[in-house]
Amino acid sequence: MPDAGKYKRIELTSRYGPAVMPDMRAIDMRVEDMPSGTWISPTLRAEVTARIEKGEQSLLFINRRGYAPVTICRACGHQIACEQCDARMVEHRFLKRLLCHQCGESAPMPEACPSCGVEGKLAAVGPGVERLAEEAKEAFPEARLAVLSSDLFGSARALKEGIKTIAEGGADVIIGTQLVAKGHNFPLLTLVGVIDADLGLQGSDLRAAERTFQLIRQVAGRAGRSERKGVAMLQSHQPEHPVIRAILAGDEEAFWQAEASERRHAGVPPYGRMAGIILSSTDVAEVFDLGNALARNDQALRQIGAQVFGPAPAPIARIRGRHRVRLLVKADKAAPLQSAVAKWVGQFKLKGDIRLSVDIDPQSFY
Ligand SMILES: [Zn+2]
Ligand SMILES: [Zn+2]
């Protein structure tokens, strides 16, 4: 566990490298004229069209695989969910299937709603990379499109060849997921449009803002790596958000300051210590009983001045048929958290198929 100052410095220099960033601009989605079911703003569309005319490449980036993140029944409002997890099934039109991104479960797209039985009323809500490609095809009918998403290529080799063809000028508009962020070079690329820069700014995940910052910078860094000047445009509904502002300014220091003050405020790493305890079982009553017993018998934690929160359903309350309950422990930075937690959970024998996992200073809290 690095101390606060060191943490900031190491993250700053090693991860992002000396890459020259392109011009960064926000597109304020609150003032763009957006027909429903579309995600490419008129401003971004005009920029892409100008690139096509000049023989330059554009990249439209969205960090969501599949066609649409949600499938809803317009008759009864039911959202199609995984039978094994508390997660929605994601439509993959290319594969003609619904997939669970949590556990990998897949199913054919049903004709009728599994809840009310009405046929022909299931509708896709929200954009995924496949749906964005559909919109781009309509918006730029004369352009050659290429879609870069991990599930559209049969093998790593096919993917590598696809990327090579694109880099050599085999496409005018690239539609891509985070796959494109991984260090490939596209010398003809002069425009990156981030479709939803707000995605990942909220949530229960402490590192969401950090990942958003990192990912958008990496993707933006794809533009203008040769002699041609590049620009990155971020579609955002909250361009005044500190993370978006820091990305636009190319100001890592400002980002880390904004992040650090929020973390200090919340008493989370690196300004405090936390432990996440996840209990899981196929029996929901057993798992809550153990969670409550842990919360009541917290002497070992109180001895070091730590506090326990929960039990509460974990953010993903069921995975592969197992119910998940979470407790959080918060302590001061100097407290011997690990040994106290070991003593605390060691009071109990695990019954049935209950599993317990402890994560000290967790990276995320799913
Ligand atoms: Zn229905
Ligand atoms: Zn699942």
Side-chain angles (χ1 to χ4, degrees):
M1 189 60 218
D3 67 59
K6 197 168 148 200
Y7 170 81
K8 198 157 123 193
R9 209 118 299 174
I10 288 168
E11 300 267 337
L12 259 173
T13 51
S14 64
R15 193 173 296 169
Y16 306 111
V20 178
M21 297 306 289
D23 283 349
M24 306 264 243
R25 280 177 235 161
I27 296 174
D28 187 342
M29 296 302 277
R30 295 169 300 193
V31 300
E32 292 283 324
D33 179 23
M34 301 297 296
S36 76
T38 68
W39 290 275
I40 303 169
S41 65
T43 301
L44 183 57
R45 186 173 167 153
E47 293 284 337
V48 172
T49 303
R51 297 304 185 296
I52 296 170
E53 283 163 4
K54 282 193 285 185
E56 296 176 357
Q57 282 178 332
S58 304
L59 163 68
L60 301 180
F61 172 77
I62 185 160
N63 194 20
R64 265 194 192 137
R65 293 181 295 127
Y67 185 80
V70 178
T71 303
I72 192 165
C73 170
R74 291 221 192 277
C76 74
H78 176 74
Q79 297 185 2
I80 298 190
C82 176
E83 288 181 5
Q84 302 297 320
C85 308
D86 282 353
R88 297 183 186 114
M89 294 292 263
V90 178
E91 181 184 1
H92 285 244
R93 208 160 272 197
F94 184 79
L95 301 170
K96 298 191 175 66
R97 292 189 74 81
L98 293 165
L99 291 186
C100 172
H101 288 184
Q102 281 311 323
C103 73
E105 181 88 353
S106 89
M109 188 72 180
E111 298 281 321
C113 169
S115 179
C116 72
V118 173
E119 277 185 41
K121 287 287 184 185
L122 293 175
V125 179
V129 67
E130 294 174 20
R131 195 174 199 182
L132 185 65
E134 207 174 82
E135 186 184 344
K137 205 180 235 168
E138 264 176 43
F140 317 113
E142 73 288 8
R144 295 166 303 155
L145 298 188
V147 183
L148 272 183
S149 180
S150 54
D151 40 21
L152 300 180
F153 290 89
S155 66
R157 204 170 130 211
L159 173 65
K160 210 175 153 194
E161 258 157 43
I163 287 171
K164 189 164 170 265
T165 309
I166 294 165
E168 286 165 355
D172 304 308
V173 180
I174 306 158
I175 322 284
T177 59
Q178 63 177 353
L179 193 65
V180 297
K182 291 182 184 149
H184 311 296
N185 246 327
F186 300 102
L188 300 172
L189 185 72
T190 59
L191 171 67
V192 170
V194 177
I195 295 300
D196 190 353
D198 305 331
L199 204 64
L201 289 182
Q202 280 112 6
S204 59
D205 187 341
L206 282 180
R207 299 289 173 106
E210 182 177 343
R211 271 206 303 270
T212 300
F213 180 81
Q214 186 189 350
L215 196 57
I216 291 178
R217 302 248 320 162
Q218 278 175 352
V219 170
R222 300 292 114 218
R225 288 168 82 89
S226 57
E227 67 279 6
R228 300 178 211 227
K229 183 99 185 109
V231 59
M233 306 188 94
L234 276 53
Q235 296 194 152
S236 171
H237 286 90
Q238 39 183 332
E240 69 287 342
H241 190 290
V243 170
I244 300 286
R245 282 214 313 251
I247 295 170
L248 291 173
D251 189 347
E252 288 164 8
E253 198 65 37
F255 170 77
W256 288 111
Q257 271 163 15
E259 261 301 278
S261 84
E262 278 184 26
R263 289 185 191 191
R264 194 183 299 121
H265 211 72
V268 298
Y271 298 99
R273 303 204 65 189
M274 289 190 105
I277 287 87
I278 298 270
L279 309 171
S280 75
S281 167
T282 52
D283 185 330
V284 68
E286 263 188 11
V287 84
F288 267 100
D289 284 350
L290 177 59
N292 285 317
L294 278 164
R296 277 196 308 270
N297 297 282
D298 64 344
Q299 301 83 346
L301 300 176
R302 278 192 275 123
Q303 274 168 13
I304 63 158
Q307 253 186 306
V308 61
F309 299 91
I316 300 168
R318 196 167 48 113
I319 293 183
R320 293 186 188 88
R322 297 180 67 84
H323 300 275
R324 305 169 82 243
V325 162
R326 182 183 73 175
L327 296 116
L328 282 178
V329 178
K330 258 176 148 182
D332 283 344
K333 219 177 114 179
L337 183 60
Q338 196 145 358
S339 56
V341 166
K343 196 169 152 198
W344 173 53
V345 301
Q347 306 173 83
F348 295 91
K349 268 222 148 67
L350 301 182
K351 286 191 299 184
D353 71 346
I354 290 193
R355 281 182 222 147
L356 180 152
S357 71
V358 176
D359 198 355
I360 303 284
D361 297 328
Q363 305 273 309
S364 76
F365 289 120
Y366 81 94

